[in-house]
Amino acid sequence: MKKRVLWITAVAALFITASGCAPAPQAGSQSAGAQTANNTTSSAAQQSQTASASQIDEAAAQQIALEHAGVAESDTSFLMTKLDYDDGIAVYDVEFYVSATNSEYDYEIDAASGEIRSYDQDAENYQPGAPQTNAPSTDTAGTLTEEEIRNIALARVSGATESDIRMRQEIDDGRSVYEGSILYDGFEYDFEIDATTGGILSWESESVFD
């Protein structure tokens, strides 16, 4: 009987000793899942930094818009640029006003490529007889011919021809204007031109693929 008790005691002691020798988890170690999550987060952060680095800055966006409009920054009385998103694409909205011509310009520029996605020009506070931009030089008073108006519009779109333009004469707020559009090279340009002075009252451009 004593031998049996001693044998059971020995087996129990051996089991306890073996259990105590099992290696404990290391506090500093990470599971494979945790390491994968950390790697994914790090990769996403690097991609975000790379995307930001590839974008043009606000100053470059302003310069692109001003050069396209043929306006010097010193001629603007208001100039604002902000980063925005259009259908998930980062774009700069550039707005500026030229008091000398009562004209307001609005541009949307791709922040990654610097490409002009759309723009428009509006004559603000228009007064009949006031100097307007893009007016042809003429000594003859009265309404301009349809051909002269057509040439004014086509001059704004390099490469466009008469086959690309559609327009009609209308009366807007008591004055004669020509409204029309030019479809050329993947863009549609909508315009309104004063029939008397040849001044461009509004001009909008938008990609036909948007």
Side-chain angles (χ1 to χ4, degrees):
M1 182 66 177
K2 285 184 179 181
K3 290 182 179 180
R4 184 176 182 183
V5 171
L6 290 174
W7 181 81
I8 293 174
T9 302
V11 172
L14 182 61
F15 176 77
I16 293 173
T17 301
S19 299
C21 293
Q26 297 296 320
S29 65
Q30 290 183 333
S31 67
Q35 290 177 347
T36 301
N38 289 340
N39 292 339
T40 301
T41 302
S42 176
S43 176
Q46 290 175 353
Q47 290 177 358
S48 177
Q49 291 176 353
T50 301
S52 298
S54 66
Q55 292 182 357
I56 63 174
D57 57 17
E58 290 188 2
Q62 287 181 2
Q63 191 61 30
I64 291 170
L66 290 170
E67 288 182 356
H68 183 271
V71 174
E73 184 175 352
S74 58
D75 294 332
T76 64
S77 54
F78 171 80
L79 176 60
M80 182 184 73
T81 304
K82 68 176 180 179
L83 182 63
D84 201 354
Y85 288 88
D86 183 7
D87 293 332
I89 299 174
V91 298
Y92 282 106
D93 291 328
V94 183
E95 301 178 20
F96 52 95
Y97 176 73
V98 181
S99 57
T101 57
N102 293 323
S103 298
E104 179 185 3
Y105 299 80
D106 297 293
Y107 279 80
E108 185 179 272
I109 297 175
D110 191 299
S113 65
E115 177 186 358
I116 298 174
R117 291 169 55 85
S118 67
Y119 71 92
D120 67 76
Q121 173 192 346
D122 295 303
E124 301 293 323
N125 303 318
Y126 174 84
Q127 296 295 330
Q132 299 295 313
T133 59
N134 300 300
S137 127
T138 177
D139 296 327
T140 305
T143 302
L144 299 176
T145 66
E146 183 174 330
E147 181 180 359
E148 289 174 312
I149 298 296
R150 183 183 296 108
N151 290 337
I152 291 171
L154 289 173
R156 294 290 299 270
V157 184
S158 178
T161 65
E162 291 188 7
S163 63
D164 302 313
I165 188 172
R166 300 290 183 273
M167 66 181 193
R168 64 181 183 276
Q169 191 171 11
E170 301 280 352
I171 301 298
D172 185 9
D173 293 333
R175 67 175 179 268
S176 179
V177 300
Y178 278 92
E179 296 180 352
S181 63
I182 300 173
L183 188 62
Y184 179 74
D185 197 24
F187 279 83
E188 182 175 8
Y189 306 85
D190 296 317
F191 60 85
E192 183 178 80
I193 299 177
D194 189 293
T196 301
T197 67
I200 296 178
L201 304 177
S202 69
W203 183 276
E204 297 181 4
S205 168
E206 187 173 7
S207 171
V208 297
F209 303 107
D210 288 345

